[in-house]
Amino acid sequence: ESFPIFMFGAVSLFVASFTYKKFGRRELQGWELLIVKHSKTPINAALGIMGSFLIIYAFTIEIIYYFEERKIGVISEGQIDELTSKSLLAITVVWSLCFAVSIVISFLMQSKQLRIASVILILVAAVKFLFIDTPEFYQPDFTPIINNSFGASLVLTMSVALGGYLYWKNIGVVDPIERNMPVILLITVNILSVFIVSAEVIRFFDYRDMQANVNSDSAKSLVLTILWALYSIGVIGSGIWKPIKEIRIVGLALLCLVLFKLFAFDIHELERGYRVAAFISLGVLLLATGLMYQKY
């Protein structure tokens, strides 16, 4: 019953926003001019953002109600945890898709306020995924890549990448306050990508260890180190190919983190064979990166 009311409210705000944009400039009264002056936001932009917020809020509430209703009568704690995990991930997917739509509309309408509100939304979604969705993730029969968390993270990462791409393409027309947005979104994409790959590796080994009753901590740490190094070199390579200095700097920063992990943790925690493999593999990758820098 609440969903149609929220939608009607959102449509009303969008109609008001359109009306202000089309006719409002010559009809603004004193109090309206004061609002625009002190908030530094056109009234039509504020109304449009409010309408977008209502839509996001309505879908979020619908998801929560849907999964809470499915929990009724469920006794198994595992099933309740799985439904909670699905609910959180579904909200992240909805927020990501709303961001993708709103960031495209914001550039078409050339609305700085809507762009900034959209970026705030996707950054909140990213923080939610990292610190809430991931710890709460539960799936009894875990399969790498083919799982709810990976699907949600893929939608989230692609949405952030879309926002970064649009900012790079339109960097000449954005407001000075938004100049750092492409870098912020680029860093967010890389954090999410590394986190997603790492989470899949950790879950795979943990699930296998639980099923086979073995300990694969050394293998897990080695795979993480090599994957992080490969990803860092891939980022550096893409920065050389473009060429974009900021991308190369992000890749080098990630590579420094890999080296820190190797000398601060792997050298003490890995078994001898895995430790040797880690040093040799990373050494070869560093040599390849140095040759790539020397050539290009």
Side-chain angles (χ1 to χ4, degrees):
E1 295 173 354
S2 63
F3 188 79
I5 298 173
F6 280 121
M7 291 296 102
F8 181 78
V11 171
S12 301
L13 287 166
F14 288 139
V15 171
S17 174
F18 172 78
T19 306
Y20 263 105
K21 184 175 178 61
K22 191 169 182 64
F23 307 108
R25 292 183 180 178
R26 63 175 182 269
E27 299 292 341
L28 290 181
Q29 302 299 311
W31 62 272
E32 295 168 314
L33 293 171
L34 284 174
I35 291 175
V36 174
K37 178 182 177 181
H38 291 292
S39 66
K40 297 182 180 180
T41 302
I43 294 179
N44 65 288
L47 291 170
I49 291 171
M50 290 169 62
S52 303
F53 173 79
L54 271 186
I55 290 177
I56 295 168
Y57 185 80
F59 277 104
T60 302
I61 293 298
E62 284 296 297
I63 292 170
I64 293 172
Y65 284 168
Y66 172 76
F67 283 99
E68 288 299 319
E69 187 176 1
R70 290 187 63 185
K71 289 180 184 179
I72 297 175
V74 176
I75 301 175
S76 171
E77 186 176 347
Q79 287 180 311
I80 293 176
D81 291 340
E82 186 177 5
L83 289 171
T84 301
S85 174
K86 287 181 177 180
S87 174
L88 291 169
L89 292 171
I91 291 171
T92 299
V93 169
V94 168
W95 289 4
S96 302
L97 294 175
C98 288
F99 163 79
V101 173
S102 63
I103 197 70
V104 171
I105 294 174
S106 68
F107 277 103
L108 292 175
M109 296 177 59
Q110 298 181 359
S111 172
K112 175 188 73 175
Q113 292 80 11
L114 183 57
R115 287 198 300 267
I116 294 175
S118 301
V119 171
I120 292 173
L121 170 65
I122 200 64
L123 292 179
V124 170
V127 171
K128 172 182 173 293
F129 176 79
L130 294 174
F131 297 102
I132 298 178
D133 298 2
T134 301
E136 292 289 336
F137 174 73
Y138 179 83
Q139 192 166 330
D141 298 321
F142 176 76
T143 304
I145 299 177
I146 308 173
N147 58 77
N148 298 324
S149 180
F150 185 83
S153 63
L154 192 62
V155 174
L156 174 63
T157 306
M158 291 177 65
S159 298
V160 179
L162 172 64
Y165 172 77
L166 291 175
Y167 262 106
W168 279 115
K169 291 288 289 185
N170 299 276
I171 195 66
V173 299
V174 299
D175 197 84
I177 197 175
E178 302 174 86
R179 294 291 181 179
N180 293 324
M181 289 298 188
V183 177
I184 293 172
L185 293 174
L186 173 65
I187 292 173
T188 304
V189 167
N190 283 278
I191 290 174
L192 287 171
S193 300
V194 173
F195 187 88
I196 293 163
V197 173
S198 303
E200 290 295 298
V201 170
I202 292 170
R203 287 168 183 159
F204 168 74
F205 280 103
D206 288 348
Y207 183 76
R208 194 186 69 168
D209 290 355
M210 183 179 63
Q211 295 293 320
N213 196 22
V214 295
N215 188 338
S216 304
D217 288 345
S218 292
K220 177 170 62 179
S221 185
L222 173 63
V223 171
L224 285 174
T225 300
I226 294 175
L227 282 176
W228 291 359
L230 288 171
Y231 183 84
S232 305
I233 294 169
V235 173
I236 294 171
S238 63
I240 292 174
W241 172 57
K242 275 299 185 183
I244 300 174
K245 179 184 68 176
E246 289 79 5
I247 294 179
R248 296 196 299 271
I249 291 173
V250 170
L252 288 171
L254 291 171
L255 198 55
C256 288
L257 288 176
V258 176
L259 291 171
F260 175 78
K261 177 181 181 294
L262 180 67
F263 285 99
F265 298 99
D266 293 352
I267 196 172
H268 302 293
E269 297 181 0
L270 292 182
E271 298 174 8
R272 181 178 299 175
Y274 289 102
R275 187 164 61 245
V276 172
F279 273 93
I280 292 176
S281 301
L282 196 55
V284 170
L285 292 174
L286 287 170
L287 284 171
T289 307
L291 291 173
M292 185 167 57
Y293 256 98
Q294 183 179 5
K295 183 174 182 180
Y296 299 106

